[in-house]
Amino acid sequence: VRLPLTGEPKLDWYPARNRGRELLAEKARKEGFTIKYESKNSALLLNRYTGSYTLCVGTLVKAEDNLGDACVYFDADTGALPPEALQP
């Protein structure tokens, strides 16, 4: 169990955003959808209680051409996916 963040996360905003983009690209490849573009409504959120960032991209096109959202969350210090996200 991760303790809440008491100070600043080790991943600053720009590196965290880039890490989130990498993880979303990986997710898209694995789940068979294409991120068309990152909309201006995308968000990078820091949850101090869980010590994690969440990046949500507002516009993407899935294999069946439906519009939707994709989100990924990861450790705010290490950039690692949580163990539950690694399970098939």
Side-chain angles (χ1 to χ4, degrees), residues 35-51:
I35 297 174
K36 187 95 169 187
Y37 61 90
E38 188 174 333
S39 76
K40 61 183 174 183
N41 295 329
S42 30
L44 177 66
L45 307 170
L46 173 62
N47 183 328
R48 291 189 169 280
Y49 182 74
T50 62

Side-chain angles (χ1 to χ4, degrees), residues 24-84:
L24 276 174
E26 253 179 66
K27 181 177 183 172
R29 279 191 300 277
K30 287 180 183 175
E31 296 181 13
F33 63 86
T34 303
I35 297 174
K36 187 95 169 187
Y37 61 90
E38 188 174 333
S39 76
K40 61 183 174 183
N41 295 329
S42 30
L44 177 66
L45 307 170
L46 173 62
N47 183 328
R48 291 189 169 280
Y49 182 74
T50 62
S52 64
Y53 279 112
T54 301
L55 177 67
C56 292
V57 173
T59 303
L60 57 92
V61 177
K62 294 187 179 184
E64 63 274 3
D65 290 331
N66 292 327
L67 297 177
D69 296 328
C71 296
V72 66
Y73 65 101
F74 53 97
D75 189 280
D77 284 331
T78 66
L81 288 171
E84 61 271 16

Side-chain angles (χ1 to χ4, degrees), residues 3-22:
L3 296 174
L5 286 176
T6 55
E8 293 302 314
K10 291 181 183 170
L11 277 180
D12 196 10
W13 192 87
Y14 286 105
R17 184 181 62 174
N18 291 336
R19 177 63 179 149
R21 287 173 172 163
E22 291 170 2

